[in-house]
Amino acid sequence: MRKLLLLGGSLLALMTPFGGPKAHADETCNSPFMSALIKGQEQYLHVWTLGEVGVGDESDKLVTISVDPKSPNYGKVINTLSVGGRGEAHHMGFTDDRRYLWAGRLDDNKIFIFDLIDPSKPKLVRTITDYEAKTGFVGPHTFYALPGRMLIQGLSNNKTHDGVTGLATYTNDGDYVSSIPMPTTNGGDGYGYDIAINPAENLMLTSAFTGWTNYMMDLGKLVKDPEAMKNFGKTMVLWDYKSMEPKKIFSVPGAPLEIRWSLKPGDNWGVTATALSSKIWVIKQDSNGEWQAKDVATVGDPSKVPLPVDISIAADGKHLWVDTFMDGMARLYDMSNPEAPKEVYTKKIGNQVNMVSQSYDGKRVYFTTSLMSNWDHKGDQDDQFLKAYDWDGKQLVEKFTVDFTALKLGRAHHMKFSAKGIGG
Amino acid sequence: MRFLSRPRYHLLVSCALLFALVVTRSSIAVAAESATDSPFPAPGTYKLDRIQPMANGWVLEQSKWRPHRLSTYTTGKITLFSFFYGTCRDPQGCPATWAAFETIQSELEKDKELNGRVRLLFLSLDPSVDTPEMLSFYTSKSTPEVPWHFLTTWSDWFLHPIMKSLSLTTSRAVDENGKQTGEIYHMVRVYLIDPEGWVREIYATGFFDPDVVVNDIKTLVLEENKKKH
């Protein structure tokens, strides 16, 4: 194993009002280039929320919730910041210094930069509106911190609106730098979804979802359209991170979504779940040192299309939470042997569940409900909430629920943790 | 600009010398590492983005009476730049950056093709302590083959615009009585700048590998060579 010099920013991790090193929180999904993870108690949880017609101010908004049990506001919404309009709010990502939170919209392609110098009161400091014009891509999805800049994975393009797309780089200030198309040769389908970098190996993995036409279509209509159903990602790409050149393209049918590298020291494998084929895949070197993608487990009953969506890996790489949207189940897998994951626990979170975020120590797990505005369940099945649980090693114990419908907030989607004094 | 009492001055000089000693020892360990199994691409086989123009502003070297534009230190040659402060004791902070710079300097000195084409550059985050006089203790690090400049500013008023244009923020540590301890919380970022003054790579917080930096420098040199022909 190559020895590398770890440059710090370690003092940043100590910048807490509590004195001791809080250090590092779904924290496990953050870019390795981020300077300060929260390893202790997170104080705030920010939910990127889709505005909904007839609900509150109807605008997309960043909702901030106090999640520190010591706070008098524990479990309450302490701030909402509406950004105006509805553009299919989706995912967020911190800059490398954790000072700024970037949040994207998949329909109008706007990217909002929030300053978290006071994480209890995020401030909108810039709205990027040139993403489509500069790149030709549509649907800024994943925001992945690189040193001093942001790597953005698109979902689509402005010509065909299918899943052919690319990666774009912006400075931390929000200025465009460059873009790279996803590979369409040597087996590449050109699609994109998530990014995960392994700096020590100089490797980057990307996954593949679907384009604007599909993700903006009503789910009921989509699944009955055989032609549209062909337009989902079937590949993962292993990149040389430094050169941003594809090294190998894996056939991973059924729309591989979120990607996580195991953070356990000595581990050298990544994992994803495929939405349509309901599988867990592991990306690992074989006995010859060759990187391979391997179907290692089935999630639920694929014939019922449970739709595995978000995953969250434990910091020690031993467990993986997998949410299945259609049945609202959270499933925990034992990853002690990553090539043979075992489902060890299930719990119904609601009528639908999408995102899952766990604290770095794995003791707290949060769930939200919205997948896409046109894909969420309808009527009384359309739960919209944030639920917070403690994980005691055997079961999830519910701590509080924030009902986004009752509070007229909208559809609860992506979550990020923050704490005062961390970042900046 | 404030003047230091004699004992305080001696203490800071001692700190500076200790700092240099500590990082020199660290650099030996770094230099001993081998790059034989490198997963990184060979120089010239990849391109580095033009990320952003390098920051500019007024800086000081050797004399507080003679200001220079920072751009005079970030153009004309390839520049490897980092912020630092002389009394930083975080082993993963400035001392680690210093150690990496020493390793890189040593590697660059070995390659005649690179001699005279690269400079190293530190700019202090603590202008009230790191005066030009204090920083003069470090000038022995500079060599004809690979010059190493230690810059400061008159005050935070001159420093902060440079930091802001590189999106770097800092804060001062305080003790339980609210008194500043002298520690500065800052993120480590190292910037590789081309001779035209464009930031072409940023290394930070994650894995910073001197071999990769040298490869990136060689890539820029090859790019410059192509332009000349």
Side-chain angles (χ1 to χ4, degrees):
Chain A
M1 177 66 121
R2 184 179 175 76
K3 287 184 185 173
L4 297 169
L5 175 63
L6 184 68
L7 274 193
S10 60
L11 282 173
L12 272 172
L14 303 176
M15 291 169 64
T16 81
F18 313 110
K22 287 287 169 186
H24 306 277
D26 195 56
E27 287 302 293
T28 56
C29 79
N30 284 317
S31 162
F33 298 112
M34 259 179 56
S35 62
L37 297 175
I38 304 171
K39 283 186 179 166
Q41 173 68 51
E42 56 282 357
Q43 289 182 297
Y44 308 102
L45 186 145
H46 308 282
V47 185
W48 189 216
T49 304
L50 292 79
E52 202 175 348
V53 175
V55 176
D57 67 4
E58 302 186 339
S59 166
D60 295 338
K61 57 181 69 69
L62 187 65
V63 175
T64 300
I65 297 161
S66 172
V67 295
D68 184 350
K70 290 178 184 165
S71 166
N73 294 316
Y74 177 62
K76 293 178 184 164
V77 173
I78 58 167
N79 191 265
T80 63
L81 177 51
S82 294
V83 296
R86 292 181 303 281
E88 200 63 37
H90 205 75
H91 278 198
M92 304 187 284
F94 290 107
T95 50
D96 62 338
D97 57 4
R98 209 180 179 121
R99 167 76 180 263
Y100 298 98
L101 182 61
W102 291 41
R105 299 206 298 203
L106 301 183
D107 189 19
D108 67 3
N109 306 308
K110 286 184 179 174
I111 299 164
F112 302 91
I113 304 179
F114 300 102
D115 186 349
L116 297 188
I117 185 74
D118 177 355
S120 68
K121 293 175 188 160
K123 198 164 90 179
L124 179 63
V125 292
R126 183 165 180 180
T127 303
I128 297 173
T129 57
D130 66 359
Y131 172 77
E132 179 186 347
K134 292 282 189 188
T135 65
F137 307 145
V138 161
H141 181 269
T142 296
F143 299 92
Y144 203 85
L146 303 183
R149 55 213 191 276
M150 185 65 81
L151 185 63
I152 305 171
Q153 173 68 71
L155 292 186
S156 191
N157 69 82
N158 62 5
K159 291 192 175 72
T160 60
H161 284 105
D162 60 9
V164 175
T165 189
L167 294 153
T169 304
Y170 277 72
T171 66
N172 274 5
D173 279 343
D175 296 324
Y176 172 77
V177 176
S178 64
S179 54
I180 301 166
M182 305 301 285
T184 54
T185 55
N186 299 320
D189 54 18
Y191 282 34
Y193 182 83
D194 200 16
I195 301 166
I197 294 173
N198 179 341
E201 295 291 335
N202 186 37
L203 293 174
M204 179 172 81
L205 281 167
T206 55
S207 51
F209 180 42
T210 193
W212 181 91
T213 304
N214 276 5
Y215 67 68
M216 292 305 293
M217 195 187 299
D218 179 85
L219 184 61
K221 185 180 168 193
L222 175 62
V223 296
K224 291 175 187 161
D225 183 338
E227 283 306 306
M229 289 301 290
K230 288 178 186 169
N231 297 326
F232 279 86
K234 305 170 183 68
T235 62
M236 292 182 75
V237 183
L238 184 72
W239 301 73
D240 179 312
Y241 163 61
K242 184 77 199 179
S243 66
M244 283 287 173
E245 292 285 339
K247 285 170 72 90
K248 187 167 185 177
I249 296 167
F250 304 115
S251 173
V252 183
L257 299 181
E258 313 292 335
I259 315 165
R260 307 287 179 258
W261 286 100
S262 173
L263 301 179
K264 182 185 173 188
D267 272 4
N268 220 7
W269 52 270
V271 61
T272 191
T274 54
L276 300 182
S277 51
S278 212
K279 298 281 187 181
I280 295 173
W281 287 71
V282 161
I283 296 85
K284 195 170 180 284
Q285 283 170 299
D286 62 19
S287 55
N288 297 318
E290 185 71 22
W291 287 92
Q292 307 287 358
K294 188 176 175 187
D295 164 6
V296 293
T298 300
V299 181
D301 179 354
S303 68
K304 294 179 180 168
V305 194
L307 218 62
V309 275
D310 198 16
I311 59 175
S312 178
I313 193 166
D316 62 7
K318 287 187 179 167
H319 292 95
L320 183 76
W321 287 102
V322 179
D323 282 358
T324 44
F325 177 77
M326 299 301 281
D327 56 9
M329 302 291 286
R331 302 159 188 271
L332 186 67
Y333 285 83
D334 181 338
M335 300 294 290
S336 301
N337 177 0
E339 295 187 63
K342 287 179 191 159
E343 188 179 280
V344 292
Y345 177 79
T346 59
K347 182 175 180 69
K348 190 168 180 71
I349 304 299
N351 290 316
Q352 58 190 8
V353 65
N354 182 28
M355 304 306 293
V356 52
S357 292
Q358 65 181 306
S359 56
Y360 198 87
D361 58 15
K363 292 179 179 174
R364 295 167 301 285
V365 191
Y366 302 86
F367 298 91
T368 52
T369 44
S370 181
L371 176 53
M372 311 280 303
S373 58
N374 294 322
W375 288 26
D376 289 353
H377 293 341
K378 305 287 191 291
D380 62 1
Q381 296 296 298
D382 186 16
D383 287 338
Q384 293 301 339
F385 56 68
L386 160 81
K387 281 190 179 178
Y389 294 85
D390 280 351
W391 171 251
D392 66 7
K394 292 180 179 167
Q395 61 181 343
L396 289 170
V397 180
E398 188 171 338
K399 302 305 285 185
F400 67 82
T401 298
V402 176
D403 186 331
F404 274 55
T405 303
L407 294 173
K408 300 186 187 314
L409 295 170
R411 300 179 179 279
H413 193 96
H414 203 205
M415 298 171 275
K416 285 289 175 187
F417 301 151
S418 69
K420 280 188 176 171
I422 291 193
Chain B
M1 188 79 65
R2 63 188 170 84
F3 293 94
L4 299 169
S5 65
R6 199 165 182 81
R8 170 90 168 132
Y9 174 80
H10 283 144
L11 175 66
L12 288 172
V13 170
S14 300
C15 283
L17 292 171
L18 179 64
F19 184 87
L21 183 64
V22 166
V23 298
T24 301
R25 288 177 64 186
S26 305
S27 69
I28 293 167
V30 174
E33 290 167 3
S34 153
T36 51
D37 56 349
S38 174
F40 293 92
T45 63
Y46 57 95
K47 288 183 179 168
L48 295 167
D49 277 339
R50 283 160 60 105
I51 298 170
Q52 64 184 98
M54 177 55 188
N56 205 355
W58 290 106
V59 294
L60 304 172
E61 185 184 30
Q62 295 177 347
S63 166
K64 65 182 173 186
W65 306 112
R66 194 174 163 210
H68 306 270
R69 296 298 286 168
L70 177 57
S71 58
T72 60
Y73 295 92
T74 58
T75 55
K77 288 184 181 182
I78 295 165
T79 305
L80 191 66
F81 168 80
S82 181
F83 293 99
F84 91 119
Y85 69 103
T87 53
C88 179
R89 293 291 166 266
D90 177 4
Q92 292 184 15
C94 305
T97 312
W98 187 303
F101 269 52
E102 283 193 323
T103 302
I104 292 162
Q105 186 185 38
S106 169
E107 289 302 309
L108 296 176
E109 283 169 346
K110 289 179 200 164
D111 189 335
K112 297 292 175 202
E113 170 77 7
L114 301 177
N115 288 181
R117 300 187 71 168
V118 185
R119 69 164 77 85
L120 309 180
L121 189 62
F122 269 16
L123 175 61
S124 174
L125 291 166
D126 196 2
S128 64
V129 173
D130 291 334
T131 60
E133 186 186 17
M134 282 299 302
L135 296 185
S136 65
F137 287 100
Y138 302 132
T139 52
S140 62
K141 293 290 170 191
S142 192
T143 67
E145 294 81 12
V146 186
W148 192 342
H149 301 273
F150 294 83
L151 307 180
T152 189
T153 49
W154 275 306
S155 67
D156 287 347
W157 196 85
F158 289 91
L159 173 66
H160 286 173
I162 297 171
M163 290 167 46
K164 188 172 186 307
S165 63
L166 293 171
S167 304
L168 185 78
T169 54
T170 61
S171 62
R172 296 260 176 183
V174 291
D175 64 19
E176 53 203 13
N177 299 314
K179 191 180 168 193
Q180 290 187 356
T181 64
E183 277 181 300
I184 299 174
Y185 297 132
H186 69 100
M187 185 169 187
V188 174
R189 285 204 195 112
V190 176
Y191 301 82
L192 180 63
I193 304 158
D194 72 16
E196 293 172 4
W198 277 86
V199 174
R200 301 295 296 272
E201 184 58 289
I202 306 172
Y203 314 92
T205 303
F207 301 91
F208 181 74
D209 185 336
D211 293 333
V212 175
V213 179
V214 171
N215 279 1
D216 290 349
I217 288 169
K218 288 178 178 173
T219 295
L220 289 185
V221 166
L222 289 167
E223 185 183 291
E224 289 300 308
N225 290 349
K226 263 189 193 170
K227 278 186 196 168
K228 286 175 187 166
H229 295 106

